Amino acid sequence: MSTEGTSRVLTTHKLLEMKERGEKIAMLTAYDYTSAKIVDAAGIDIILVGDSAANVMAGHETTLPITLDQMIYHAQSVMRAVKNPLVVVDLPFGTYQGNSKEALHSAVRIMKESEADAVKLEGGVEIMESIQRILSAGIPIMGHLGLTPQSIHKFGTYAVRAREKAEAEKLVADAHALEDAGCFALVLEKIPALLAKQITEELRIPVIGIGAGRYCDGQVLVMHDMLGLNNKFSPRFLRRYANLYDCYLNAFKNYVSDVKSCDFPNESEQY
Ligand code: KIV
């Protein structure tokens, strides 16, 4: 038996060290084997198997419909691909809120069936019992505060959160509670940059932002958004690193045209 611990190159402990020495953390979503392999080759620190798969892979309007079995399927596909990054998997809506035993069961299924490194849960003190029970089983947790898409029906909008004092104060208190409970990192989504700065400075654990400004310890984006695969989604926080929508469209159009015109396949493309 190996005594070296996890074979993963990036560990939760190394993330803490990165924060301590001021090295920024790069995190990206991935949901399938082929993309995850490329993401790993690019040197990403953390892969998030996000429940945003419900949107970008399955076409749902919200993240709520994705199931635990579907998240495990995505996580297994990613785990077969990667060697270096820490792989974090979202616990989907309805598998951890309000019942800490079910929360532990869900987290254990993800860890056992996918062999991922950690889970992510949305929410603060209201899900503390679930967080504590999962942590007590030795499963690392990444928290997620601010805009928490699984609560979209409560918020009613995807607008920036915690602009008002009372919500900002609750967010700061929740962030401390998650750190005190033992979460190894925290995602802050769509909150004012100065609030994210305050939390990043106050916490010892790494804070990863999405739409939370430049002062966080790291950044996360949804792969399909940063690749420009969805040309209808362009929030202010999103930087596009490619325009794959046009790339795909042109490739598909050229293929259709080549088949219709009998240009494909040609002599050298047949047996
Ligand atoms: O599911 C997801 O992709 C996420 C990120 C937006 C942080 O939770």
Side-chain angles (χ1 to χ4, degrees):
M1 193 180 97
S2 162
T3 52
E4 299 292 313
T6 173
S7 60
R8 191 81 47 225
V9 173
L10 217 294
T11 60
T12 55
H13 182 72
K14 284 189 185 151
L15 289 173
L16 278 174
E17 291 175 349
M18 285 171 81
K19 171 159 183 153
E20 276 160 21
R21 57 175 187 267
E23 181 182 341
K24 295 281 185 182
I25 298 164
M27 169 164 150
L28 195 59
T29 67
Y31 320 94
D32 68 281
Y33 174 85
T34 307
S35 315
K37 246 190 146 43
I38 305 172
V39 172
D40 188 355
I44 211 80
D45 299 308
I46 308 176
I47 287 185
L48 172 65
V49 183
D51 59 358
S52 49
N55 310 118
V56 297
M57 299 298 288
H60 292 293
E61 273 194 21
T62 72
T63 57
L64 275 65
I66 199 160
T67 65
L68 188 56
D69 284 337
Q70 288 166 340
M71 288 303 299
I72 290 170
Y73 168 79
H74 287 298
Q76 288 169 336
S77 309
V78 167
M79 287 302 293
R80 272 179 223 117
V82 306
K83 291 205 164 32
N84 297 309
L86 191 86
V87 178
V88 181
V89 183
D90 267 334
L91 277 189
F93 174 71
T95 65
Y96 62 94
Q97 299 96 335
N99 181 338
S100 63
K101 281 193 184 153
E102 193 185 343
L104 176 59
H105 178 70
S106 308
V108 166
R109 276 203 62 201
I110 287 184
M111 301 298 284
K112 256 187 189 300
E113 294 177 40
S114 75
E115 298 186 76
D117 303 304
V119 295
K120 177 164 80 59
L121 278 68
E122 295 183 7
V125 290
E126 61 284 354
I127 57 156
M128 194 46 78
E129 207 181 301
S130 294
I131 288 187
Q132 281 164 344
R133 200 180 273 257
I134 293 171
L135 286 170
S136 72
I139 299 174
I141 296 183
M142 174 179 273
H144 183 157
L145 296 171
L147 176 65
T148 45
Q150 292 180 11
S151 306
I152 187 59
H153 295 304
K154 184 174 100 186
F155 297 148
T157 161
Y158 286 102
V160 177
R161 305 300 313 174
R163 282 197 193 277
E164 306 301 327
K165 192 163 173 256
E167 193 182 342
E169 282 173 358
K170 170 164 173 23
L171 203 147
V172 173
D174 277 341
H176 281 281
L178 291 176
E179 168 164 287
D180 293 346
C183 291
F184 74 90
L186 173 65
V187 166
L188 292 178
E189 180 164 351
K190 230 171 168 189
I191 65 167
L194 289 182
L195 180 59
K197 178 174 191 278
Q198 179 196 335
I199 294 169
T200 303
E201 285 169 359
E202 286 182 12
L203 296 195
R204 202 177 53 84
I205 59 173
V207 174
I208 317 283
I210 172 162
R214 63 191 317 177
Y215 305 108
C216 298
D217 300 306
Q219 299 293 326
V220 55
L221 284 175
V222 170
M223 176 195 289
H224 292 58
D225 299 341
M226 61 88 81
L227 289 177
L229 274 165
N230 177 358
N231 62 358
K232 300 271 182 311
F233 184 66
S234 49
R236 174 179 177 154
F237 70 79
L238 175 62
R239 184 179 292 184
R240 285 209 179 109
Y241 287 85
N243 180 358
L244 288 198
Y245 179 88
D246 284 346
C247 253
Y248 275 36
L249 187 65
N250 288 333
F252 298 150
K253 277 184 172 171
N254 288 338
Y255 170 69
V256 171
S257 151
D258 287 354
V259 170
K260 301 267 179 202
S261 68
C262 298
D263 179 79
F264 175 79
N266 62 24
E267 286 293 326
S268 66
E269 289 163 329
Q270 63 189 15
Y271 299 99

